[in-house]
Amino acid sequence: MKRLVLATLAVALTGAIGAPAAAQTLPVPDPLLQKIWNEGMLGSQLVSLAQPLFDSIGPRLTASPAIRSANDWAVAKYQSWGIEAKNEQYGTWKGWRRGVTHIDLLTPRIRTLEGTMLAWSPGTKGKVDGKVVVIPDVSDSLAFTAWLPKARGNYVMISMPQPTCRPDANWKEFALPEEMDKMQKDRTAATQAWSARVAATGGPRTLPGRLEAAGAKGVMTSLWSAGWGVDKIFNARTEQVPTVDLSCEDYGLVYRLAEHNQNPTIRIDAEATPLGEIPVFNTIARIPGVEKPDEFVMLSAHFDSWDAGSGATDNGTGTIAMMEAMRILKTVYPRPKRTILVGHWSGEEQGLVGSRSFAADHPEIVKGLQALFNQDNGTGRVVTMSTSGLTGAGAFYGRWFARLPAELTRNITLSFPGAPAGGGSDNASFICYGAPGFGLGSNSWDYGAYTWHTNRDTYDKVVFDELKQNATLTAMLAYLASEDPETIPRDRRVMAPDPRTGQATVWPACTVPPRKSSDSTR
């Protein structure tokens, strides 16, 4: 098999990041690029977009009232800028509205616990008191079945208590090396033992349902994200009783009380409203092309989020960067050569459902796609880009980057030809067809530990100076892709074998998206 060697080009040009004055390092004179810089870096509206979206509308769980409000807000904002916009239905999903969650320890002492209900969880229909028990350490599923009657009338804890809620960085700074080594070994052993305990129940996906069927009053979990006060909050797997997540510290407290037979009792008051199967939408906006209206440059970011924080860096930052890029383009480049589109996708967290549906429903856009730029990994400045396995796209990147100001390119590493996205974000919905869907990879800012799917993904985590660079860069790339006299070819790289198995790998396949929640396997 012929193998193509990845060539990585580090674009290291001089110039200050986020310089407040006009760009002075444009490699070639281009009045339009200078105007984009001035509008994006000196006239940014990112703050005025972020505040109402993150603080007032808040998190945007798929099929919640909040994401529908966000859809309407985005359409109104685009229309106020003179940009065509609409909400386009792609299917239906299980609707749900979060209410107040209150969790209190009643015995052996009083304490209001830090925690929240998981997405799509049933509520309690008022205050419900109950004792707390822990899933047993049994040999197999038969032994667990014999234990199940003890779950009746109780809240059941199903997550491992962390031996420490201090991040590893804190241990590394203060502990002796042998202390940190022991802590890590103890945690590894505890994790392995807990995995075996859960496996003996039949597995983590079926465990909540089995407890519910046995008459448990609710399920208690904790998914610590290895940072100070940070939990990841996903969806419940119960249909009749609530599933709540407790903070690392409070989960450990209640667990120890139960483990030492000190009879903890808690009260949960959790409000939730199921809304049935309701319509779900992508928000699509466009600036029509004047010379090649049936060819497209597309900006892309998912609009939905999990709902424990504000959905700020996942993916509110990508959302408002693309909105700002469209505003800049409408202001300084209102008559593009090719049509410029933006897609704000719903259902990304459920498996790229919104963008996959759009690609399946609009083959003419996939066919006419010149380039798609997607951003979905936090608030940091763009530091990596790849041609996604398209062997002919490198020449286009070279031409475009040769015209960009050094202030934006000095920290970006380009990979030619790179590899196609396999499903991590919405550019995968287009590259699977061989269409040029490119990801804008961002500087981390501890995204994975602190804000990705967590209760701390809030407005204050946004680094606006770096986000301003991203919006300006995106607008410039869209302009250059629109004006390029050539069309990006779709020749695909020969895929390297899987290094783990040695087996040949293939180009990612386009999957049929579920159009309603009952069709989803997630």
Side-chain angles (χ1 to χ4, degrees), residues 6 58 61 143 152 178 189 212 236 273 318 332 369 387 409 416 463:
L6 295 180
L61 187 72
R152 177 170 295 278
E178 59 269 27
E212 179 178 61
T273 306
V332 306
L369 195 62
T387 52
T409 61
F416 303 148
V463 182

Side-chain angles (χ1 to χ4, degrees), residues 62-102:
T62 295
S64 68
I67 194 168
R68 185 59 196 273
S69 295
N71 291 137
D72 293 340
W73 170 83
V75 168
K77 184 62 68 174
Y78 277 121
Q79 291 175 346
S80 75
W81 296 332
I83 298 174
E84 301 174 21
K86 64 178 180 179
N87 292 323
E88 184 175 293
Q89 184 178 347
Y90 64 84
T92 63
W93 212 258
K94 182 169 66 173
W96 184 78
R97 178 188 288 112
R98 177 184 290 281
V100 171
T101 302
H102 212 291

